[in-house]
Amino acid sequence: DAMVIQNPRYQVTQFGKPVTLSCSQTLNHNVMYWYQQKSSQAPKLLFHYYDKDFNNEADTPDNFQSRRPNTSFCFLDIRSPGLGDAAMYLCATSRGLGVETQYFGPGTRLLVL
Amino acid sequence: GQQVMQIPQYQHVQEGEDFTTYCNSSTTLSNIQWYKQRPGGHPVFLIQLVKSGEVKKQKRLTFQFGEAKKNSSLHITATQTTDVGTYFCAVNTGNQFYFGTGTSLTVIP
């Protein structure tokens, strides 16, 4: 049973063309996270939502935005993708903050042409 | 920001050999989590350690949290080809969540 779902699994966009990645969860978790993972690197946290409270990592570029319209869904908007934004984008959820397990979705691989 | 280093970065072992990855922090950690990411897959939670000196086992995997809570290790006994992947330690402070640099394990049949 899928618990954290990401669509699409692969996304191709053009340089500078806005793109939205989506994530949904069936766990009813309070926290949703977005990570960027480049090849052979660790996932890097971009931001997270605790319920409706948005928390941006200090070094996340302004080019990256997020929306969480309800508990189940969270979106990652890249306003003007550059070649350096090509990566795997992982969504994760956890019941709460602190010492909590994170459950990851399968990821969306973004290609920027 | 805080960094958690893992060594080695890469490890190739013959099937049946043991494997250990180490996670080191310059600051005291409140907890440590371990995740496994298969090639082409996503991170999957393995275990969480909270107490100083804590040791936990999952079948062939042994996890340890250092007495000073600044380091942790994951040891796999008698590796199998299914153990292939990248092993990440991770720290969750409540306000921050960050992964270690990872150790990529290759198991040669």
Side-chain angles (χ1 to χ4, degrees):
Chain A
D1 294 333
M3 296 186 291
V4 183
I5 304 155
Q6 288 188 248
N7 286 306
R9 294 294 307 276
Y10 299 90
Q11 176 75 56
V12 181
T13 191
Q14 290 179 326
F15 183 93
K17 185 175 179 182
V19 65
T20 295
L21 308 181
S22 73
C23 176
S24 64
Q25 54 136 337
T26 60
L27 296 164
N28 204 34
H29 281 173
N30 291 312
V31 191
M32 295 187 77
Y33 308 79
W34 278 105
Y35 289 85
Q36 179 192 64
Q37 186 176 27
K38 297 190 176 181
S39 182
S40 300
Q41 294 184 18
K44 182 182 177 304
L45 183 62
L46 297 174
F47 24 60
H48 74 272
Y49 274 95
Y50 183 89
D51 197 14
K52 292 182 186 290
D53 292 334
F54 177 71
N55 295 272
N56 201 31
E57 292 300 299
D59 55 356
T60 298
D62 292 339
N63 197 26
F64 291 87
Q65 303 286 320
S66 186
R67 297 170 283 135
R68 189 179 185 187
N70 54 53
T71 301
S72 301
F73 286 87
C74 195
F75 300 99
L76 169 62
D77 300 309
I78 308 176
R79 294 194 295 192
S80 181
L83 298 179
D85 296 327
M88 174 72 84
Y89 290 88
L90 294 161
C91 173
T93 74
S94 66
R95 190 174 49 186
L97 292 173
V99 187
E100 293 279 355
T101 303
Q102 292 198 9
Y103 297 86
F104 284 82
T108 294
R109 184 164 293 283
L110 178 68
L111 181 63
V112 181
L113 301 178
Chain B
Q2 280 184 300
Q3 273 201 329
V4 177
M5 303 301 295
Q6 280 184 253
I7 53 171
Q9 188 176 0
Y10 301 97
Q11 184 78 62
H12 292 68
V13 299
Q14 205 75 34
E15 188 174 15
E17 290 181 340
D18 292 357
F19 159 76
T20 305
T21 172
Y22 300 91
C23 182
N24 297 298
S25 169
S26 57
T27 59
T28 302
L29 304 171
S30 57
N31 64 83
I32 197 102
Q33 298 179 342
W34 284 92
Y35 289 78
K36 176 184 178 181
Q37 186 173 22
R38 292 182 187 272
H42 58 276
V44 175
F45 175 80
L46 293 176
I47 205 126
Q48 180 168 269
L49 304 170
V50 178
K51 299 176 185 175
S52 168
E54 190 170 12
V55 178
K56 288 188 177 179
K57 291 192 175 187
Q58 287 180 352
K59 297 184 180 177
R60 295 178 295 105
L61 277 60
T62 302
F63 304 84
Q64 192 162 6
F65 203 6
E67 293 289 341
K69 299 180 79 172
K70 287 187 176 182
N71 55 69
S72 181
S73 64
L74 158 58
H75 179 83
I76 303 178
T77 304
T79 55
Q80 300 175 357
T81 54
T82 53
D83 296 326
V84 164
T86 301
Y87 292 84
F88 292 101
C89 60
V91 178
N92 190 338
T93 68
N95 293 321
Q96 291 181 305
F97 186 91
Y98 49 94
F99 282 86
T101 48
T103 296
S104 176
L105 172 65
T106 300
V107 179
I108 304 160

